[in-house]
Amino acid sequence: MILQRAFYQQEVVTVARELLGKILVHESVEVVTVGRIVETEAYLGPEDQAAHSSGGRRTPRNEVMYGPKGYAYVYFIYGLYYCVNVTSGDAPGKPEAVLIRALEPVAGKAIMKKRRRINEEKATNLTNGPSKLCMAMGISKLQNKANLIAPPLYIKDAPHISFSDIAETTRIGVDYAGEWKKRPWRFYIKGNSFISAK
DNA sequence: TGCACGATTCTCT
DNA sequence: GAGAATCGTGCAA
């Protein structure tokens, strides 16, 4: 039921595509939040100028990307927010990961609202962005390097999303990446109302 | 030791 | 659509 190590040891672009529709679960003390992954982006190894591992850069922050696959890479951005990635790839030791950009809330919506500090009827604003979903799911640097093969933070298998239901576009917020910003490595479920942008 | 900047979000116009 | 919020990180010096 929980996705196993081998799932993450495929090509990182494949993992990004396959993660769509899968179920992210975070069990914190007496509180469980669950979301369906509806948008991802792939970041490749040293060659990808959009990645934190660009040029083989290896620092305490991105160290987890160089380790085994299937672990969480959580980083702090803009002095305010967190984003969560899943280390993936078919080459051991190669620093690659999949950014989770949006979720569809499945369970724990009341908690998500509280964590996001919003109070409105529609749920679309809870998890439709990489940092929003971290807030809603209670993910922070404490979850960095978490093993995603077991609780409290893990991803469950779910029915495969057919190719025709997946949209491919360029990645968001990587204008600094030169030619690499043009790569179609952002994936989302077509027509889903929880994606972060068109 | 200093400093520019970011895989974002929110508010206001 | 523009601008602010806000600080850890990375690299130069």
Side-chain angles (χ1 to χ4, degrees):
Chain A
M1 198 59 177
I2 293 180
L3 292 174
Q4 296 302 298
R5 191 76 62 204
F7 176 88
Y8 301 103
Q9 293 168 334
Q10 310 175 77
E11 250 190 297
V12 63
V13 171
T14 300
V15 175
R17 216 182 255 119
E18 293 289 323
L19 274 175
L20 293 177
K22 304 301 189 241
I23 307 297
L24 178 65
V25 182
H26 188 199
E27 301 175 358
S28 54
V29 184
E30 307 219 336
V31 164
V32 180
T33 42
V34 182
R36 180 167 173 258
I37 298 170
V38 299
E39 180 181 342
T40 61
E41 282 179 3
Y43 287 84
L44 273 63
E47 67 270 26
D48 182 0
Q49 290 180 32
H52 290 170
S53 55
S54 170
R57 185 167 56 187
R58 182 170 185 164
T59 66
R61 179 173 71 145
N62 69 6
E63 176 64 28
V64 65
M65 293 181 86
Y66 289 81
K69 313 307 182 187
Y71 283 75
Y73 168 40
V74 182
Y75 65 89
F76 191 52
I77 188 68
Y78 295 117
L80 297 166
Y81 304 114
Y82 292 98
C83 293
V84 62
N85 296 248
V86 182
T87 62
S88 306
D90 55 358
K94 199 175 176 195
E96 301 180 312
V98 175
L99 171 68
I100 299 178
R101 286 194 58 88
L103 299 175
E104 179 178 330
V106 171
K109 290 181 201 171
I111 297 157
M112 292 183 183
K113 276 191 184 178
K114 196 173 174 184
R115 284 174 175 158
R116 291 271 296 117
R117 290 172 197 180
I118 58 177
N119 188 22
E120 55 185 284
E121 290 305 310
K122 64 171 186 177
T124 49
N125 195 30
L126 285 173
T127 52
N128 62 339
S131 297
K132 294 179 187 179
L133 73 88
C134 282
M135 287 183 247
M137 295 290 293
I139 295 172
S140 71
K141 62 183 170 189
L142 295 175
Q143 279 69 42
N144 192 33
K145 302 190 179 183
N147 182 9
L148 297 173
I149 305 305
L153 186 63
Y154 56 94
I155 301 176
K156 288 199 299 184
D157 200 4
H160 184 260
I161 305 294
S162 74
F163 194 83
S164 59
D165 287 330
I166 296 176
E168 286 184 21
T169 65
T170 53
R171 295 172 293 181
I172 290 179
V174 293
D175 286 345
Y176 55 84
E179 287 296 306
W180 292 87
K181 75 182 182 188
K182 299 175 185 171
R183 299 301 179 105
W185 289 336
R186 170 171 176 251
F187 306 96
Y188 62 86
I189 299 177
K190 281 183 191 172
N192 188 280
S193 53
F194 293 87
I195 60 174
S196 66
K198 289 261 173 91

